[in-house]
Amino acid sequence: MSDTQRIEELRDAIRRHDRLYYVEASPEISDRQYDALMDELKRLEDKHPELVTEDSPTQRVGGEPVEGFETVDHAVAMLSIDNTYNVDEVRTFDQRVRNELGSNGFDYLVDPKIDGVAVSLRYESGRLAIGATRGNGRQGDDITANVRAVASVPLRLTGDDVPDVVEARGEMYWPRGSFAAFNAKRAEQGEQTFANPRNGTAGTLKQLDPRIVAQRGLAFIAHGFGDISERIADRASAIMDTFRRWGLPTSADASVCEDVDAVMDAIDAWARRRSEADYETDGMVVKVDELDLRDELGATSKHPRWCIAYKYEAERAETHLREVSYQVGRLGTITPVAHFDEVHLSGTKVTNASLHNFDQVERLDVRLGDAIAIEKAGEIIPQVVQVNHAKRPKNAKRITPPETCPACGGPARRDPGGVYLRCIDPECPAQLRERLKFFAGRNQMDIDHLGEKIVDQLVDRGLVEHFADLYQLTVEDVKQLDRMADKSARNLVDAIRSSKDRGLARVLAGLGIRYVGNRAAEIIADHYGDMDALLDAGREDLEQLDEIGPVIAESLHQFLHSKRGRGTIRRLKNVDVDMTSHRAASDGDGPLAGKTVVVTGSLDGYSRKEAEDAIEAVGGRVTSSVSSNTDFVVVGAKPGSKVDKAERLGVERIDEDEFRKRLSTG
Ligand SMILES: [Zn+2]
């Protein structure tokens, strides 16, 4: 094969892989293989400079910075889109469109509104000729050199049906991941960071040196079109499909909706998913899909009349950091909390937000007095997401980690290798308070009426120094608390008492042992059946359980065998807190309902799994260790030490025949 042929072959291959990567998001080769193709092409082009063309994939980034940007006229005006924050106005828009068209027989193309910079890409004879900003809508800046440097912009459209002129319009944006990495690196180097991806994109496209643009990792998504020299389809959605086929990235999150109700659903659905996208979006654009109907509707001087943008309420707000306080969690974690001038986010007032840890404080480089941006992550928890360092006041004060626990004055230590600062005093009242609140929580002991304010008072008045103290509170004790009437005191005491029967899993979860959450607690309680059996378990036994790794096993084992852990368990037992696992048994129905059974040795008629399934099928519970709560032990051939333990505890032992009988008769 001649070099000329090979060069063409390589260019086609690279374009195809660009398309697979940027448009289809399904690459077929590794980055390394891609680089090898590119290297080979570069070598051949170096050998034959006369064969280098402008649209060769090697020619994305020109050699020299440009002096400035020329002005270009848009062949078709880039009008801005009318927008609203009010969903009712989307319905009003729909009503108006239907009135004007006198018809319901059309669809809407609905597309997330990417928060980037609008650009127009003009292809002539399939080759990228001009990239331009929107500017004033009639004229924009010629940023061709910069858009060429954006990897997802095809330099050439592929397909034998590409018309002479194709203008794709869309959004240049900075993917969240690479934006965050870029900003972090800038901050590390003491350079100014960008406030958000949109500002970053705008700043990048204004660079005179396209090599800088190439390094930043911007991306492009087409969502519309300007001048196209042939009519290639009747619907905008079909044009977008065609664009994809030619190698232009389009939104994977666009949808065609048959009426305004479907549009509303799409708006709702995206509101829930938009935080997961790799680009920031601030709304949804709703466009009539049929092109001849668009012509019929026309435009005002500013906006097309066939299109509206619904914008999600701004979730980011700027404010000033006034103070940082510290919260001590139930595990002693000391968390810095930012207090700032009130802002409104998604309809709620926000005055504080967690700063998470001191690494985060450093990462944000935040100081008292700084201008900060607050966002609601997952629509719920406000976060300090950014600091506007350009606006830093001269007297901005550094935030230094406390050396002692702000609650008890005890020593505060940083976790070895971790990012958290921790109060290591187990008697810390702040920790006790948080532990009690957690213990009483819905997913743990689920104690009604035992709210935060009551816990605070119980601790402050010295009425409760330990979980077990809760169970010894009398109505008289509780009546001392603020605004506690006779009846509510009685209700609280009753609620606490009735939580005694929650069972082992809830107790384990409620103790707040590090890494032992509800799921782990359930698995462990189910397996061991009661606290005594659990206390007999070795660390290795715990590790063997499904979903329980060495970290959980270690933490739990350490707690159970620590002085504090043993004391806690003893005290809870003394006040009759149930520490058996009765979940499955109480749910069960059948001959073995409520029975706890252990199987040891091998049976002739059942595998171990079959035996366990058979027991559970008739309402019984299977545990691995024998304890005083075991009802009977099924003993097969070559039984282990469990038989001895059963004998010692006086637990009934039965053979396989008897087992078979009990499965049907109990
Ligand atoms: Zn403390």
Side-chain angles (χ1 to χ4, degrees):
M1 182 189 302
S2 74
D3 283 356
T4 313
Q5 281 172 312
R6 179 61 182 156
I7 284 173
E8 273 316 308
E9 197 177 76
L10 284 166
R11 287 176 184 167
D12 284 346
I14 290 167
R15 284 185 192 118
R16 181 168 164 273
H17 291 301
D18 279 345
R19 210 185 95 83
L20 287 168
Y21 188 90
Y22 293 108
V23 182
E24 311 288 338
S26 59
E28 283 175 5
I29 59 172
S30 68
D31 289 355
R32 178 188 286 231
Q33 288 167 312
Y34 179 89
D35 291 344
L37 295 176
M38 198 64 117
D39 285 344
E40 188 185 350
L41 178 59
K42 273 183 204 150
R43 269 201 314 277
L44 289 172
E45 287 184 347
D46 282 347
K47 201 167 137 194
H48 305 283
E50 75 285 1
L51 297 178
V52 176
T53 57
E54 266 233 311
D55 64 351
S56 168
T58 59
Q59 302 300 305
R60 280 202 173 274
V61 182
E64 291 303 309
V66 296
E67 301 269 297
F69 302 114
E70 305 280 323
T71 300
V72 284
D73 294 330
H74 295 300
V76 174
M78 289 179 82
L79 295 184
S80 64
I81 297 170
D82 198 8
N83 63 63
T84 176
Y85 287 93
N86 182 345
V87 275
D88 291 339
E89 287 186 15
V90 178
R91 288 192 184 275
T92 311
F93 161 81
D94 168 65
Q95 189 61 55
R96 204 193 69 221
V97 168
R98 284 188 289 127
N99 286 345
E100 284 188 32
L101 296 176
S103 153
N104 293 327
F106 61 90
D107 292 331
Y108 288 113
L109 175 60
V110 182
D111 205 3
K113 187 172 178 300
I114 299 173
D115 201 6
V117 173
V119 298
S120 177
L121 305 180
R122 183 178 172 94
Y123 290 85
E124 293 173 0
S125 306
R127 289 172 173 79
L128 179 61
I130 300 170
T133 61
R134 196 174 79 83
N136 62 13
R138 312 273 163 194
Q139 290 182 318
D141 284 341
D142 181 342
I143 52 164
T144 309
N146 284 347
V147 302
R148 287 176 64 93
V150 173
S152 59
V153 169
L155 298 181
R156 184 168 159 175
L157 301 180
T158 48
D160 42 26
D161 58 343
V162 179
D164 280 346
V165 174
V166 175
E167 276 184 13
R169 293 195 171 157
E171 214 74 7
M172 207 59 94
Y173 68 97
W174 203 330
R176 286 190 217 253
S178 55
F179 174 75
F182 175 83
N183 247 3
K185 201 170 151 209
R186 291 273 283 214
E188 203 179 286
Q189 294 165 341
E191 286 180 86
Q192 211 172 320
T193 52
F194 287 113
N196 57 51
R198 179 169 39 74
N199 289 354
T201 306
T204 302
L205 292 177
K206 284 194 191 114
Q207 292 290 325
L208 296 176
D209 186 349
R211 283 171 296 195
I212 293 176
V213 182
Q215 290 159 7
R216 295 216 173 148
L218 302 188
F220 174 78
I221 282 187
H223 54 57
F225 49 90
D227 192 12
I228 300 182
S229 56
E230 285 168 33
R231 191 173 177 94
I232 54 172
D234 295 332
R235 286 170 171 258
S237 53
I239 293 184
M240 292 298 111
D241 291 343
T242 309
F243 276 5
R244 279 178 83 81
R245 188 159 52 73
W246 292 341
L248 280 160
T250 62
S251 174
D253 301 298
S255 57
V256 175
C257 297
E258 63 176 6
D259 59 23
V260 72
D261 289 328
V263 169
M264 292 301 170
D265 289 347
I267 288 174
D268 281 349
W270 185 250
R272 286 191 297 274
R273 281 173 50 218
R274 69 194 190 106
S275 60
E276 297 158 21
D278 194 31
Y279 40 77
E280 299 206 334
T281 54
D282 59 356
M284 287 291 256
V285 184
V286 181
K287 295 172 271 198
V288 171
D289 197 28
E290 286 82 349
L291 301 183
D292 51 353
L293 300 184
R294 288 189 180 186
D295 292 343
E296 205 172 307
L297 289 161
T300 68
S301 61
K302 286 189 209 142
H303 312 296
R305 295 160 64 88
W306 40 265
C307 165
I308 193 168
Y310 169 73
K311 294 183 91 171
Y312 298 109
E313 204 176 329
E315 292 175 309
R316 178 187 278 245
E318 284 232 355
T319 182
H320 287 89
L321 179 64
R322 297 304 178 197
E323 198 193 329
V324 169
S325 68
Y326 299 97
Q327 261 175 9
V328 185
R330 65 191 166 84
L331 297 168
T333 317
I334 299 171
T335 308
V337 179
H339 298 265
F340 40 78
D341 297 341
E342 181 177 292
V343 292
H344 293 254
L345 283 174
S346 314
T348 55
K349 291 175 188 171
V350 184
T351 55
N352 58 70
S354 173
L355 283 166
H356 305 290
N357 55 59
F358 290 94
D359 274 17
Q360 174 72 357
V361 170
E362 282 166 31
R363 203 175 305 133
L364 288 167
D365 182 18
V366 60
R367 298 186 191 173
L368 296 180
D370 268 343
I372 54 176
I374 311 297
E375 254 184 24
K376 276 197 164 187
E379 326 277 308
I380 302 166
I381 308 157
Q383 306 250 30
V384 179
V385 290
Q386 218 143 48
V387 176
N388 188 338
H389 293 112
K391 289 195 195 162
R392 171 165 289 167
K394 280 206 179 90
N395 58 354
K397 244 180 84 189
R398 280 181 187 282
I399 299 159
T400 46
E403 284 167 12
T404 55
C405 169
C408 70
R413 298 269 162 78
R414 206 166 238 244
D415 278 357
V419 297
Y420 292 104
L421 195 68
R422 206 177 286 284
C423 165
I424 54 171
D425 185 344
E427 306 298 320
C428 176
Q431 292 181 49
L432 173 61
R433 248 189 286 272
E434 294 309 309
R435 282 204 299 267
L436 284 168
K437 287 171 195 167
F438 183 76
F439 185 76
R442 174 153 307 175
N443 294 319
Q444 291 78 37
M445 298 301 270
D446 192 15
I447 306 177
D448 261 352
H449 312 294
L450 187 56
E452 288 197 16
K453 292 210 172 92
I454 292 177
V455 169
D456 287 343
Q457 289 187 64
L458 291 171
V459 174
D460 291 343
R461 291 168 193 239
L463 288 166
V464 175
E465 291 178 348
H466 197 277
F467 300 132
D469 294 341
L470 285 174
Y471 295 97
Q472 288 175 313
L473 287 173
T474 63
V475 173
E476 290 309 306
D477 291 334
V478 174
K479 266 163 66 180
Q480 300 171 25
L481 307 184
D482 295 344
R483 285 189 295 277
M484 186 61 83
D486 200 56
K487 184 155 181 281
S488 24
R490 226 169 273 282
N491 285 343
L492 175 57
V493 172
D494 285 347
I496 294 173
R497 295 256 157 91
S498 67
S499 77
K500 283 182 180 181
D501 301 325
R502 300 277 185 258
L504 182 60
R506 296 297 196 103
V507 174
L508 281 177
L511 293 176
I513 304 161
R514 215 168 159 196
Y515 306 120
V516 181
N518 290 86
R519 175 84 185 134
E522 263 171 36
I523 293 167
I524 292 159
D526 266 4
H527 186 82
Y528 289 99
D530 64 39
M531 185 61 92
D532 291 335
L534 177 57
L535 285 170
D536 280 349
R539 194 170 316 188
E540 299 77 20
D541 302 330
L542 292 168
E543 263 181 52
Q544 297 310 312
L545 299 185
D546 265 357
E547 297 178 49
I548 307 296
V551 174
I552 297 175
E554 166 72 29
S555 176
L556 175 60
H557 192 264
Q558 199 179 8
F559 174 84
L560 293 174
H561 299 279
S562 68
K563 194 172 161 209
R564 186 159 75 91
R566 283 202 310 268
T568 297
I569 292 159
R570 183 172 27 87
R571 291 204 221 181
L572 287 173
K573 268 188 185 164
N574 288 344
V575 293
D576 293 324
V577 170
D578 179 13
M579 286 200 251
T580 62
S581 167
H582 45 60
R583 200 170 61 108
S586 61
D587 291 342
D589 194 15
L592 291 183
K595 301 278 194 231
T596 300
V597 182
V598 171
V599 182
T600 182
S602 55
L603 304 175
D604 291 336
Y606 306 83
S607 70
R608 175 62 60 87
K609 178 85 172 62
E610 285 164 355
E612 291 176 359
D613 288 348
I615 293 163
E616 280 166 4
V618 295
R621 271 180 38 78
V622 182
T623 62
S624 66
S625 320
V626 179
S627 75
S628 51
N629 289 303
T630 308
D631 288 285
F632 58 85
V633 177
V634 182
V635 183
K638 296 191 191 142
S641 61
K642 288 174 192 173
V643 181
D644 304 333
K645 187 162 181 195
E647 193 171 357
R648 215 164 52 239
L649 294 172
V651 172
E652 186 185 10
R653 284 138 288 153
I654 62 169
D655 64 12
E656 188 168 343
D657 284 346
E658 177 64 20
F659 172 56
R660 212 179 298 274
K661 264 185 236 158
R662 290 198 184 181
L663 284 176
S664 51
T665 62

